[in-house]
Amino acid sequence: MFRTSTIGRVLAASLMLGLAAGAAQAGKCGYEICFGAVATGADGIVARAGGHRTAPAARDRADRVCLGKCDRIEVFHSGCGALAASPGGQQGAGFGLSRRAAEAEALADCLSLGAGACFVRVWACSQ
Protein backbone atom coordinates (compact mmCIF):
# COMPACT_ATOMS: atom_id res chain seq x y z
CA MET A 1 0.00 0.00 0.00
CA PHE A 2 1.33 3.41 -1.00
CA ARG A 3 0.91 6.20 1.51
CA THR A 4 1.36 9.88 0.92
CA SER A 5 2.28 12.41 3.51
CA THR A 6 0.28 15.55 4.13
CA ILE A 7 3.11 17.58 2.61
CA GLY A 8 3.06 15.36 -0.49
CA ARG A 9 -0.68 15.87 -0.89
CA VAL A 10 -0.34 19.64 -0.45
CA LEU A 11 2.47 19.77 -3.05
CA ALA A 12 0.43 17.68 -5.49
CA ALA A 13 -2.63 19.88 -5.00
CA SER A 14 -0.54 23.03 -5.49
CA LEU A 15 0.93 21.63 -8.69
CA MET A 16 -2.53 20.75 -10.03
CA LEU A 17 -3.87 24.21 -9.15
CA GLY A 18 -0.89 25.80 -10.90
CA LEU A 19 -1.53 23.76 -14.04
CA ALA A 20 -5.22 24.62 -13.97
CA ALA A 21 -4.41 28.31 -13.57
CA GLY A 22 -2.06 28.12 -16.56
CA ALA A 23 -4.79 26.58 -18.68
CA ALA A 24 -7.22 29.28 -17.58
CA GLN A 25 -4.83 31.92 -18.90
CA ALA A 26 -5.18 30.63 -22.45
CA GLY A 27 -7.49 32.66 -24.67
CA LYS A 28 -11.19 32.01 -24.29
CA CYS A 29 -11.21 30.83 -27.90
CA GLY A 30 -9.01 27.88 -26.86
CA TYR A 31 -5.74 29.28 -28.21
CA GLU A 32 -3.06 31.27 -26.43
CA ILE A 33 -3.76 34.29 -28.66
CA CYS A 34 -7.17 34.77 -30.28
CA PHE A 35 -7.57 36.80 -33.48
CA GLY A 36 -10.56 38.66 -34.84
CA ALA A 37 -11.37 40.88 -37.81
CA VAL A 38 -13.83 43.57 -38.81
CA ALA A 39 -14.59 44.50 -42.39
CA THR A 40 -16.68 46.95 -44.40
CA GLY A 41 -17.55 47.38 -48.04
CA ALA A 42 -19.77 49.22 -50.45
CA ASP A 43 -23.56 49.06 -50.19
CA GLY A 44 -23.38 48.82 -46.39
CA ILE A 45 -21.86 45.34 -46.25
CA VAL A 46 -20.08 44.52 -42.98
CA ALA A 47 -18.45 41.41 -41.57
CA ARG A 48 -16.89 40.29 -38.33
CA ALA A 49 -14.89 37.29 -37.22
CA GLY A 50 -13.66 36.24 -33.80
CA GLY A 51 -12.01 33.34 -32.03
CA HIS A 52 -9.49 32.38 -34.67
CA ARG A 53 -6.06 30.85 -34.12
CA THR A 54 -4.24 33.01 -36.69
CA ALA A 55 -4.55 36.47 -38.22
CA PRO A 56 -4.96 35.05 -41.76
CA ALA A 57 -7.78 32.78 -40.57
CA ALA A 58 -9.66 35.74 -39.06
CA ARG A 59 -9.09 37.86 -42.17
CA ASP A 60 -10.19 35.04 -44.49
CA ARG A 61 -13.36 34.46 -42.48
CA ALA A 62 -14.33 38.15 -42.64
CA ASP A 63 -13.59 38.18 -46.37
CA ARG A 64 -15.81 35.11 -46.92
CA VAL A 65 -18.66 36.73 -44.97
CA CYS A 66 -18.28 39.79 -47.23
CA LEU A 67 -18.34 37.50 -50.27
CA GLY A 68 -15.07 39.13 -51.26
CA LYS A 69 -16.74 42.57 -51.53
CA CYS A 70 -15.19 44.29 -48.51
CA ASP A 71 -12.65 46.97 -49.29
CA ARG A 72 -11.35 47.34 -45.73
CA ILE A 73 -10.47 44.49 -43.39
CA GLU A 74 -8.74 45.11 -40.06
CA VAL A 75 -7.33 42.22 -38.02
CA PHE A 76 -6.61 42.38 -34.28
CA HIS A 77 -5.85 40.06 -31.39
CA SER A 78 -6.53 39.74 -27.69
CA GLY A 79 -9.25 42.39 -27.62
CA CYS A 80 -11.81 44.13 -29.78
CA GLY A 81 -11.82 46.05 -33.03
CA ALA A 82 -14.25 48.47 -34.66
CA LEU A 83 -14.67 50.41 -37.88
CA ALA A 84 -16.46 53.75 -38.01
CA ALA A 85 -17.50 55.78 -41.03
CA SER A 86 -18.89 59.17 -41.93
CA PRO A 87 -21.63 59.92 -44.45
CA GLY A 88 -18.86 61.46 -46.60
CA GLY A 89 -16.90 58.21 -46.75
CA GLN A 90 -14.11 58.74 -44.21
CA GLN A 91 -13.32 55.59 -42.24
CA GLY A 92 -11.61 55.10 -38.92
CA ALA A 93 -10.39 52.01 -37.13
CA GLY A 94 -10.09 51.41 -33.42
CA PHE A 95 -8.81 48.67 -31.16
CA GLY A 96 -9.06 48.12 -27.43
CA LEU A 97 -9.59 45.69 -24.62
CA SER A 98 -13.37 46.18 -24.76
CA ARG A 99 -16.04 46.90 -27.33
CA ARG A 100 -16.54 50.37 -25.87
CA ALA A 101 -12.80 51.20 -26.10
CA ALA A 102 -12.55 49.96 -29.70
CA GLU A 103 -15.64 51.90 -30.77
CA ALA A 104 -14.43 55.11 -29.08
CA GLU A 105 -11.06 54.87 -30.83
CA ALA A 106 -12.69 54.14 -34.20
CA LEU A 107 -14.96 57.17 -33.85
CA ALA A 108 -12.05 59.40 -32.83
CA ASP A 109 -9.96 58.13 -35.76
CA CYS A 110 -12.81 58.82 -38.20
CA LEU A 111 -13.39 62.31 -36.81
CA SER A 112 -9.65 63.08 -37.01
CA LEU A 113 -9.91 62.71 -40.79
CA GLY A 114 -12.13 65.79 -40.96
CA ALA A 115 -15.50 64.09 -40.86
CA GLY A 116 -18.25 66.14 -39.26
CA ALA A 117 -20.01 63.08 -37.87
CA CYS A 118 -19.16 59.39 -37.70
CA PHE A 119 -20.95 56.23 -36.68
CA VAL A 120 -19.73 52.73 -35.82
CA ARG A 121 -20.36 50.38 -38.73
CA VAL A 122 -19.09 47.13 -37.23
CA TRP A 123 -17.33 45.81 -34.13
CA ALA A 124 -16.08 42.42 -32.94
CA CYS A 125 -14.01 40.91 -30.17
CA SER A 126 -11.38 38.25 -30.67
CA GLN A 127 -12.61 35.99 -27.87
Side-chain angles (χ1 to χ4, degrees):
M1 176 181 214
F2 180 70
R3 299 180 77 180
T4 59
S5 67
T6 302
I7 293 174
R9 285 189 297 246
V10 168
L11 288 174
S14 296
L15 177 62
M16 292 188 71
L17 285 174
L19 291 174
Q25 292 173 357
K28 291 179 184 177
C29 65
Y31 313 116
E32 188 172 334
I33 296 176
C34 304
F35 289 88
V38 288
T40 60
D43 300 323
I45 192 166
V46 297
R48 63 180 58 117
H52 293 275
R53 175 176 269 183
T54 65
R59 187 193 184 294
D60 291 348
R61 175 64 181 154
D63 193 42
R64 281 194 308 274
V65 171
C66 284
L67 304 173
K69 296 179 181 179
C70 283
D71 53 19
R72 182 159 187 186
I73 300 176
E74 296 287 342
V75 176
F76 54 90
H77 68 84
S78 306
C80 301
L83 292 174
S86 73
Q90 291 94 340
Q91 292 186 29
F95 310 96
L97 295 178
S98 68
R99 173 186 177 182
R100 177 177 280 173
E103 288 180 340
E105 187 175 296
L107 289 168
D109 188 37
C110 180
L111 291 169
S112 75
L113 299 173
C118 295
F119 59 95
V120 174
R121 289 197 59 198
V122 63
W123 67 273
C125 293
S126 60
Q127 300 180 22

